[in-house]
Amino acid sequence: DDCLAACPWNKFAQAAHEIAFAPRAELVGPDLAELMALDDATFRAVFSGSPIKRIGRDRMVRNALIAAGNSANGRYLPQIMLLLDDPAPVVRGAAIWALRRIAPDRAEVERDTRLTGEADADVRVEWLS
């Protein structure tokens, strides 16, 4: 959290040795493709008991899409393509952004076929930016 990073009192903080504060092994270094594939029920199950759960599935998938786009790794392209049809506008918008980063030519083709059917104004703006 930004609050924790910015708080001047945290310079005195020490690493916790309590096992309850240790990250769960399955949450350390998760695969971006797996994060992008999360549905709501799986997100809730995987992140149950974790502070990550509070951001919700849509924002987690959006963040994974941003990381995938920043990676410029073409192996994420199939998952990105699927998320262009996600019910959540925030996810669709991030999928468009990631697609433009990884496969700009493919993004142009997709824009030409998908823009007219897009109802969400923010997602339409993402297609046009």
Side-chain angles (χ1 to χ4, degrees), residues 32-40 57-58 60-66 68 76-99 110 114 118 123 127:
L32 288 177
E34 290 178 14
L35 291 177
M36 288 186 283
L38 290 172
D39 61 19
D40 194 55
R57 177 260 178 197
D58 296 347
M60 173 58 91
V61 173
R62 175 205 58 199
N63 292 352
L65 281 160
I66 292 168
Y76 299 123
L77 192 55
Q79 194 63 42
I80 291 168
M81 294 301 297
L82 289 173
L83 292 170
L84 291 172
D85 295 317
D86 195 84
V90 70
V91 173
R92 290 195 310 276
I96 294 163
W97 180 87
L99 179 61
E110 293 298 325
R114 293 172 180 267
E118 179 57 59
V123 177
W127 275 121

Side-chain angles (χ1 to χ4, degrees), residues 18-54:
E18 178 68 37
I19 193 72
F21 294 118
R24 295 190 330 232
E26 69 272 17
L27 299 181
V28 175
D31 181 65
L32 288 177
E34 290 178 14
L35 291 177
M36 288 186 283
L38 290 172
D39 61 19
D40 194 55
T42 306
F43 171 82
R44 289 172 189 259
V46 169
F47 292 102
S48 176
S50 164
I52 295 293
K53 188 177 175 194
R54 71 182 168 166

Side-chain angles (χ1 to χ4, degrees), residues 1-11 51-52 54-55 59 62-63:
D1 284 296
D2 291 338
C3 292
L4 293 174
C7 179
W9 289 102
N10 282 337
K11 68 181 176 184
I52 295 293
R54 71 182 168 166
I55 71 166
R59 288 187 286 175
R62 175 205 58 199
N63 292 352

